[in-house]
Amino acid sequence: MKRTSRDIRTANRYEVLRQIIAQSPTSRQELAAATGLSLATVATLVGELLDLRMITEVGFEDSAGGRPRGLVAVNASGGALIGVDIAETYVRVELFDLALNVLARADEDMRPGESRPEQVVGHVATAVGSVVAQAGVEGARVLGVGVSVPGQVDRDTGIAEYAPNWDWHDVPLLDLLTEHIAYPLYLDNPLRACAVAELWFGAARGYGDAVVVNLGTGVGAGLVLGGGLHRGGSNSAGEWGHTTLVLDGRLCHCGNHGCVETYVGAPGIMLNLRELSPQSTLLHPEDQTATIDALARGVAANDPVAVKVVRDTARYLGAGIADLVNVLNPEVVVLSSWVAATLGEPLLAEVREAVARHALRRPLAATDIVLSPIPTDPVCLGAATFALEGALQSVGQRSNKRTVPARSRTAPPS
């Protein structure tokens, strides 16, 4: 798509604010160096963010001579952002201040069979209402709600086009949510959300090329290429979980056989355990979280079944990650989401060994493989940045006296 001057200005405003959030307090000169923008452009954008009360002046840095440099910092109380993580087994919602500190959190469990769109929307609406009440923020302070939903999504129309684990096709998710939530809404998926969270605050920060492997019920890869989020031609990049790992292997929800997800997603890990030891007390047939927790405890206790299941899972995962290393040549691969966090260092060690057996030597030597260091839900955090991006875009549209398209959900009903 051809980018307009307004698009470029919005992107620059977003990048300047991102740097301020990451480096508060900072000077205009430091922002120019970090973003590659001219000092004059940075000064103008900083002025706009000051007018919006998203940032504030915080004095001057010490100077050994010459004119002191004025410092700016994010105004944490200048607004609130909400991130929504819709996963296959839960809905998690977090409310953040503008410095992206968590102020409130709410969880809603989703039991098997509760994945109809209207049921999911009900869980989201309940959790959003809960975090707003917990934080005690006024509705006018909520700049937006970023919503992450598994599968392929159309950000512009707000449609969840395809979620294979739920058999969703062309669900108008934002339209359904708008009936219950009065704040601006912005849609994407967890691959992009995790990648942005790691780029802003996590293991991908400071890198130009990174892969964030999302290990949960579903599996995928968020891509950071050339220092920015890579979406692909139809916002579908990163569906690595649906690449073929085993010819004629396990049937996947997407309809194909042998997909990566069927061996290293939580249900796939449960099947690995069931095939190895059908009567194992580690297996909780209807509870993914309990099974993964039990495996983690078993590995810590050196239970031979748990150790072998994690090792076998890592073999599959390592082969798949080696393909990403060979194709994309990233500087860092980050293991993210709840399965990676639960299995932790034992999984990481086995994955590193497996990748080393399959990846080419030169790209492997340039790649670190690490666990996500983000202490909160990375999907909620990344989704909140989508709301921030949308809020800044809305500001640009209003400043140009243009009518805001209905899809951007920028005005709560009166």
Side-chain angles (χ1 to χ4, degrees):
M1 286 192 313
K2 183 178 181 181
R3 300 180 79 200
T4 66
S5 59
R6 187 178 69 253
D7 294 333
I8 294 170
R9 188 177 189 85
T10 296
N12 289 342
R13 189 187 295 117
Y14 177 74
E15 182 61 20
V16 166
L17 182 56
R18 180 171 85 90
Q19 292 294 334
I20 294 172
I21 291 172
Q23 302 289 347
S24 287
T26 187
S27 69
R28 292 161 178 81
Q29 290 81 358
E30 289 169 328
L31 289 169
T35 61
L37 300 171
S38 72
L39 185 57
T41 297
V42 167
T44 299
L45 297 172
V46 165
E48 292 174 0
L49 294 170
L50 286 167
D51 290 342
L52 294 168
R53 299 184 180 179
M54 288 184 167
I55 63 173
T56 183
E57 300 272 14
V58 291
F60 297 88
E61 66 180 356
D62 295 333
S63 174
R67 186 176 178 179
R69 293 179 172 181
L71 297 175
V72 293
V74 64
N75 178 18
S77 62
L81 303 161
I82 296 175
V84 177
D85 177 8
I86 300 174
E88 285 85 350
T89 58
Y90 62 85
V91 169
R92 180 169 297 126
V93 175
E94 294 180 345
L95 185 144
F96 302 81
D97 63 19
L98 275 192
L100 291 171
N101 300 306
V102 179
L103 302 182
R105 178 183 292 109
D107 290 279
E108 292 274 315
D109 289 333
M110 289 205 304
R111 297 173 183 84
E114 289 188 349
S115 60
R116 295 197 309 274
E118 60 272 19
Q119 293 173 311
V120 173
V121 166
H123 285 304
V124 173
T126 298
V128 167
S130 175
V131 296
V132 172
Q134 288 176 50
V137 301
E138 298 178 5
R141 283 188 54 212
V142 178
L143 301 180
V145 180
V147 179
S148 167
V149 65
Q152 297 173 22
V153 303
D154 188 321
R155 293 208 310 158
D156 295 328
T157 63
I159 291 175
E161 292 190 339
Y162 180 47
N165 288 338
W166 292 333
D167 197 29
W168 279 14
H169 298 269
D170 298 322
V171 173
L173 186 60
L174 286 198
D175 282 339
L176 296 174
L177 286 169
T178 299
E179 297 174 9
H180 302 273
I181 297 171
Y183 310 118
L185 291 160
Y186 306 92
L187 183 68
D188 215 308
N189 88 351
L191 305 184
R192 258 73 75 192
C194 281
V196 171
E198 296 295 338
L199 185 62
W200 279 48
F201 297 106
R205 185 172 167 182
Y207 288 104
D209 298 286
V211 173
V212 181
V213 173
N214 191 322
L215 293 176
T217 301
V219 173
L223 306 178
V224 175
L225 302 178
L229 185 62
H230 179 71
R231 296 182 177 279
S234 62
N235 198 44
S236 302
E239 291 292 349
W240 164 74
H242 295 288
T243 58
T244 302
L245 182 63
V246 179
L247 285 175
D248 303 318
R250 295 171 180 172
L251 177 64
C252 182
H253 287 290
C254 74
N256 291 328
H257 288 264
C259 291
V260 170
E261 182 174 294
T262 63
Y263 292 89
V264 303
I269 296 172
M270 292 174 70
L271 187 52
N272 297 341
L273 172 57
R274 184 179 289 111
E275 290 177 349
L276 177 66
S277 180
Q279 305 304 316
S280 173
T281 58
L282 301 172
L283 182 63
H284 299 258
E286 302 301 322
D287 194 330
Q288 298 177 22
T289 303
T291 301
I292 302 301
D293 286 344
L295 282 171
R297 292 192 300 270
V299 170
N302 206 29
D303 178 285
V305 171
V307 169
K308 181 162 176 51
V309 168
V310 171
R311 182 170 295 148
D312 288 347
T313 299
R315 288 178 60 237
Y316 289 120
L317 183 56
I321 290 176
D323 291 341
L324 294 171
V325 169
N326 289 346
V327 171
L328 298 173
N329 192 195
E331 296 163 276
V332 63
V333 173
V334 187
L335 304 187
S336 180
S337 199
W338 67 272
V339 170
T342 302
L343 296 179
E345 291 291 340
L347 176 68
L348 176 66
E350 294 287 349
V351 167
R352 284 173 169 165
E353 288 188 16
V355 174
R357 290 194 294 270
H358 295 285
L360 293 171
R361 183 179 302 176
R362 183 172 174 82
L364 178 64
T367 303
D368 287 328
I369 303 173
V370 300
L371 291 170
S372 171
I374 295 175
T376 187
D377 184 325
V379 177
C380 285
L381 179 59
T385 70
F386 298 143
L388 179 59
E389 181 182 17
L392 291 175
Q393 187 174 31
S394 298
V395 168
Q397 289 169 331
R398 289 199 299 272
S399 67
N400 281 273
K401 298 182 179 180
R402 294 177 61 92
T403 301
V404 179
R407 289 291 176 188
S408 63
R409 313 309 201 267
T410 54
S414 56

